[in-house]
Amino acid sequence: MVRWLALLLILACPLSAQEDALRLELVLDPRETAPVQGEMILATIRGVYRRNITNEELKLRPMTDFDWTRLGQDSWTDQRIDGLVAKVFERRIALYPRRAGALEVLPIAHELQLIDKQGHRDTVLVRTAPVRIDVAEKPAGAGDDWLPVRALELSDSWDADAARLEDRQSVKRRVVLRALGATPEMMPHQPSLREPWLITFSPPAERDFQVTEAGPVTTLVWTWSLRPITGEPGVLPEVTIPYFDTALRQARTVTLPATPIGYASFSANAASGWRKDLGIGQPHLAIAVIAFLVVLVPTLRGRAGASGMFGRWRSRWRQRSDLHKLRRHAAKGETALFRTRAQRLLETEPTALERVLRPVDAALFGAGKDRSDVDLRSVLDDVERQVRGNSSRRGGR
């Protein structure tokens, strides 16, 4: 019996020595509270190796319950541990739980190519033990805009005084949103800033992703080129971006303030152009009365058929008027007014609107080499074809 025990002890010693010579673990950064869904969890993959290593590859596979990102370069150092010199491998990562509950980080494998004193090479896999993490639910009422980050910064700048623009001047707004602890996929979408009295052009957002020991830092840059249609002062409403501060453990917001925008000349023109009479002649007054009756008669008449007839007539009349004015803008080279009128004609077809008016937007808002002249007559042909196609489809219904 004693001989058998001695034999088992002899056989177990190499296995124990092998495990002690090659050890890999996932070490979570200490924290006081459980993470919530989507919150960054910092961790270190740490290997302690007392063997000669000629090559290595860390195998961090996709996980069902977590997203992850690498933070910086791997670290290899020589350290004395328990009185013996060892090579210490470290890689920083950030984990993002996809849901709430008792989740498990699957084993991570480190493939090592070893060489002994006789020059024999051998390949082994060293694995971490599974790590369990309890993840809390996100707060009640949190929707798709849920953004848990350690810090969020916002800056808002304009390249001119938006409330006192020169006639036909565009103004550029630039917003920088920087988040610590978020990946680019977590960041909010760019606000549209679209108003009926404003021409708006916004190129795709610029994105930057950097890694630090404290976690990833994602930067978004949003830009808009804005031009009032008439110059009459208007106000862009404020935009609120909610987020969850994981350092303070509370919901917070950052806000783009409401901003007035308009031409400086409008107030002076409004004061000097005031007249005691209506300022219109008899023909214009007659047209105004007819337009008023066109709107009023369907309301007074109780029959749905009459109302539909007058509605279609009024729509065609407005369309013909807009097309007539669009041709005049094209002939005079009035690019901004042309774009406004064309947008009104194509407002029910957003896909066609973007395609047809792309060269006009390049002429109005392009910068440097991206800015180009536009053939308004060619764009006019595209608009008219689109309008005729829309009318044919409506007539066939």
Side-chain angles (χ1 to χ4, degrees):
M1 185 66 178
V2 175
R3 292 178 180 177
W4 281 108
L5 290 175
L7 180 60
L8 290 174
L9 182 62
I10 292 172
L11 292 175
C13 283
L15 294 176
S16 176
Q18 174 78 357
E19 291 178 357
D20 186 61
L22 301 172
R23 186 172 71 251
L24 186 68
E25 59 184 342
L26 177 67
V27 182
L28 302 179
D29 283 15
R31 54 185 307 136
E32 297 179 356
T33 58
V36 294
Q37 179 181 344
E39 178 181 353
M40 177 182 67
I41 302 170
L42 294 176
T44 302
I45 304 171
R46 190 171 191 266
V48 178
Y49 306 132
R50 293 191 175 95
R51 298 286 300 276
N52 291 326
I53 301 172
T54 59
N55 201 3
E56 55 86 25
E57 181 184 2
L58 189 70
K59 300 180 180 294
L60 190 54
R61 56 183 173 173
M63 304 179 201
T64 303
D65 293 331
F66 292 91
D67 294 315
W68 61 271
T69 187
R70 178 176 176 175
L71 303 179
Q73 299 298 316
D74 297 341
S75 169
W76 286 88
T77 58
D78 291 328
Q79 300 181 24
R80 186 172 294 276
I81 300 174
D82 298 331
L84 299 176
V85 175
K87 290 188 177 297
V88 177
F89 162 85
E90 289 185 337
R91 176 184 290 184
R92 293 283 287 170
I93 63 171
L95 298 164
Y96 294 89
R98 296 178 178 175
R99 62 180 181 89
L103 309 184
E104 187 175 85
V105 182
L106 300 177
I108 300 168
H110 202 177
E111 183 180 286
L112 304 174
Q113 188 177 81
L114 309 177
I115 185 170
D116 60 19
K117 294 181 180 179
Q118 287 73 39
H120 298 143
R121 297 177 183 271
D122 190 19
T123 299
V124 299
L125 279 178
V126 187
R127 292 183 175 86
T128 65
V131 175
R132 173 174 165 167
I133 303 176
D134 292 323
V135 179
E137 293 275 1
K138 62 184 180 181
D144 294 336
D145 57 356
W146 170 246
L147 180 62
V149 293
R150 288 199 171 185
L152 189 68
E153 298 177 353
L154 181 145
S155 66
D156 183 13
S157 60
W158 299 74
D159 67 352
D161 184 352
R164 299 189 58 80
L165 298 175
E166 298 179 3
D167 290 354
R168 307 185 68 169
Q169 178 186 0
S170 296
V171 61
K172 180 174 288 187
R173 187 178 197 179
R174 185 174 188 269
V175 171
V176 179
L177 193 66
R178 183 176 292 106
L180 170 60
T183 61
E185 296 76 18
M186 297 169 59
M187 300 296 281
H189 296 294
Q190 181 171 351
S192 64
L193 297 192
R194 293 193 178 276
E195 297 292 339
W197 45 269
L198 192 68
I199 299 175
T200 303
F201 175 75
S202 55
E206 301 175 27
R207 298 175 181 267
D208 182 65
F209 181 71
Q210 297 178 332
V211 294
T212 70
E213 283 292 311
V217 177
T218 296
T219 302
L220 284 184
V221 180
W222 297 329
T223 56
W224 299 266
S225 289
L226 308 168
R227 178 183 291 182
I229 292 175
T230 64
E232 181 176 359
V235 177
L236 287 175
E238 71 176 23
V239 177
T240 299
I241 302 173
Y243 70 100
F244 182 76
D245 190 322
T246 60
L248 300 178
R249 315 307 296 179
Q250 66 182 26
R252 303 183 68 186
T253 61
V254 292
T255 301
L256 294 175
T259 306
I261 180 171
Y263 294 142
S265 62
F266 181 83
S267 56
N269 291 340
S272 62
W274 176 259
R275 298 177 59 172
K276 294 182 180 181
D277 56 17
L278 292 177
I280 57 176
Q282 293 297 330
H284 297 87
L285 183 58
I287 293 174
V289 170
I290 293 172
F292 174 78
L293 291 175
V294 167
V295 177
L296 182 62
V297 168
T299 305
L300 296 178
R301 301 185 62 172
R303 292 177 299 172
S307 177
M309 178 186 69
F310 278 101
R312 288 191 297 273
W313 185 88
R314 185 170 62 252
S315 177
R316 288 195 294 269
W317 180 79
R318 172 186 168 184
Q319 187 180 91
R320 284 196 296 268
S321 175
D322 282 341
L323 283 172
H324 176 72
K325 293 176 181 177
L326 190 69
R327 297 185 191 103
R328 188 171 60 194
H329 295 325
K332 293 183 177 181
E334 298 171 337
T335 307
L337 295 175
F338 180 93
R339 200 231 186 256
T340 301
R341 190 69 57 182
Q343 180 177 350
R344 177 172 168 175
L345 283 163
L346 301 177
E347 59 187 357
T348 60
E349 301 288 339
T351 303
L353 173 66
E354 180 181 358
R355 174 181 57 80
V356 173
L357 295 186
R358 188 175 296 121
V360 181
D361 288 340
L364 287 172
F365 304 113
K369 64 179 183 181
D370 296 328
R371 189 166 189 140
S372 59
D373 294 331
V374 59
D375 182 1
L376 293 182
R377 295 184 182 276
S378 175
V379 180
L380 173 64
D381 293 340
D382 290 340
V383 175
E384 290 182 328
R385 279 194 294 269
Q386 188 66 37
V387 170
R388 285 195 297 271
N390 293 346
S391 299
S392 299
R393 288 192 292 270
R394 285 195 294 267
R397 289 207 254 310

